Amino acid sequence: MPHPLPVAHDLENFSGADTTFAAVFRKALRRRGLPLERIREHLRAQQISVSLATLSHWQRGRSQPEKAQSLRAVDALEPLLDLPTGALRSLLGPHRPRGGARPPDPAAARGVFGEDSDVEQALGDAFAHFNAGLRALTVQETVCLDEHRAIRETSVTTVVQAVHDGVDHLSIVHFLDSPKAGTAVLDVPGRPAPRIRFLEELGCVTAEIPLGRRLVRTETAVIAYTLRAEGEASWQHERRVTVPLRSYLLHVCFHPRAVPTHCWGYRRERIGADPCHRHRTALDDFHTTHLMPTRCVPGVYGIEWTWPD
């Protein structure tokens, strides 16, 4: 017979990565000494049908309860596991698309980048595994130009989701406009500055930014960083999106002594293709403009501008 477990009035025994649904469910099963077969029979007695495979996936973090029947099962399990009402329910994240977080597909990336792209040249053999453990959910970029019409600073905040256990860093590649060697500086607030690699022949920098801990599958992390570099005059900024994003915001800030005459936002199917959606974007009184597509499907998104002369 399983050993009785004192009723848990809170989740103080769980902390950090242990406060996921999978970790709490798994630990409660272990402490109660209950096999999954016993759990399934308990649910059947309450006319709730959940397979052993599904229960196994729940405790391993490969899936989580989402359908109405599964949520009924969660409510029925809490008293059996001596957990307070709502303890397991409160640990369920937002509803995920069918199949959960999926790794980026190199073939899909080539569909946007093109064959033998500058990104693939920069990464070499690592291109096939480029951030394969992460899926971007949201991206916000702020690009600031100086009085010489050059992009001096690019700040990025992105929310990523792990597609498997153990992911601990985000890899980035940024292409610069005629960059000056040795001027690129990468700043990650609250963390040591990551080592950057400057590829002069491609005009880009690459770096690996630590997430601060190893994520388990479906966990999310927020990464913010700023890249500063000196370069020549710019006339556009764009981002290549290889998986659908929940949201993307590009905010461009011009120097008061270098204000463009017109700005256009656009989307292209792939690098080198003509824009399929192009529209004027207004400059405000603070000399900024922005692009925020209502749907951010894979493709190339950007803002371009013209200078007075």
Side-chain angles (χ1 to χ4, degrees):
M1 294 291 292
H3 298 290
L5 174 70
V7 175
H9 294 290
D10 52 41
L11 298 178
E12 291 180 354
N13 291 325
F14 302 94
S15 61
D18 287 340
T19 55
T20 63
F21 173 87
V24 173
F25 182 41
R26 184 170 58 248
K27 190 168 184 178
L29 288 173
R30 188 182 308 122
R31 292 178 65 180
R32 287 285 286 149
L34 292 171
L36 293 182
E37 292 85 352
R38 172 80 179 276
I39 296 295
R40 183 181 62 174
E41 293 305 317
H42 175 80
L43 294 174
R44 275 184 177 175
Q46 301 184 54
Q47 298 183 334
I48 302 173
S49 178
V50 178
S51 70
L52 287 176
T54 296
L55 292 170
S56 178
H57 288 167
W58 290 355
Q59 70 167 339
R60 295 179 183 212
R62 293 182 178 177
S63 66
Q64 68 176 22
E66 291 176 345
K67 296 181 179 179
Q69 176 94 328
S70 297
L71 296 176
R72 284 183 57 215
V74 171
D75 294 338
L77 286 175
E78 288 171 344
L80 177 67
L81 298 175
D82 285 338
L83 291 171
T85 300
L88 286 176
R89 274 258 200 170
S90 67
L91 299 174
L92 293 175
H95 180 79
R96 301 191 305 273
R98 181 168 293 184
R102 297 179 180 177
D105 180 2
R110 288 190 180 98
V112 174
F113 296 156
E115 293 294 333
D116 196 29
S117 65
D118 46 9
V119 175
E120 192 160 357
Q121 292 178 50
L123 297 174
D125 293 341
F127 177 78
H129 311 289
F130 181 48
N131 288 328
L134 293 171
R135 183 184 187 279
L137 300 180
T138 68
V139 177
Q140 178 175 329
E141 290 187 280
T142 299
V143 177
C144 297
L145 287 83
D146 61 20
E147 65 270 30
H148 305 295
R149 303 179 176 180
I151 293 178
R152 177 59 64 89
E153 183 176 289
T154 302
S155 297
V156 179
T157 299
T158 182
V159 179
V160 295
Q161 183 179 49
V163 299
H164 60 67
D165 295 345
V167 187
D168 63 0
H169 71 273
L170 170 73
S171 298
I172 63 170
V173 178
H174 275 271
F175 289 86
L176 310 174
D177 292 311
S178 303
K180 297 178 182 178
T183 65
V185 175
L186 183 63
D187 177 40
V188 183
R191 310 183 190 191
R195 185 177 69 86
I196 65 175
R197 179 170 165 241
F198 177 64
L199 303 175
E200 187 172 6
E201 66 279 9
L202 295 173
C204 75
V205 297
T206 68
E208 294 185 352
I209 300 178
L211 300 180
R213 63 187 178 89
R214 292 184 179 275
L215 302 183
V216 299
R217 184 176 180 272
T218 74
E219 276 193 306
T220 56
V222 179
I223 300 297
Y225 64 88
T226 298
L227 177 66
R228 300 180 180 88
E230 296 180 13
E232 297 182 358
S234 301
W235 58 274
Q236 70 169 175
H237 179 82
E238 60 185 26
R239 171 167 287 266
R240 307 163 191 190
V241 175
T242 58
V243 297
L245 297 177
R246 295 182 184 175
S247 68
Y248 171 59
L249 170 64
L250 171 57
H251 188 206
V252 182
C253 306
F254 297 96
H255 194 278
R257 292 197 293 271
V259 180
T261 54
H262 302 291
C263 300
W264 293 269
Y266 63 86
R267 173 183 174 268
R268 294 188 279 163
E269 296 286 348
R270 64 189 66 83
I271 290 293
D274 292 331
C276 51
H277 298 285
R278 189 173 186 267
H279 63 281
R280 286 280 293 270
T281 62
L283 278 167
D284 59 27
D285 293 341
F286 305 104
H287 318 301
T288 79
T289 190
H290 72 278
L291 172 72
M292 188 174 185
T294 54
R295 291 179 63 250
C296 194
V297 298
V300 181
Y301 295 83
I303 293 178
E304 61 184 15
W305 48 88
T306 55
W307 296 111
D309 50 43

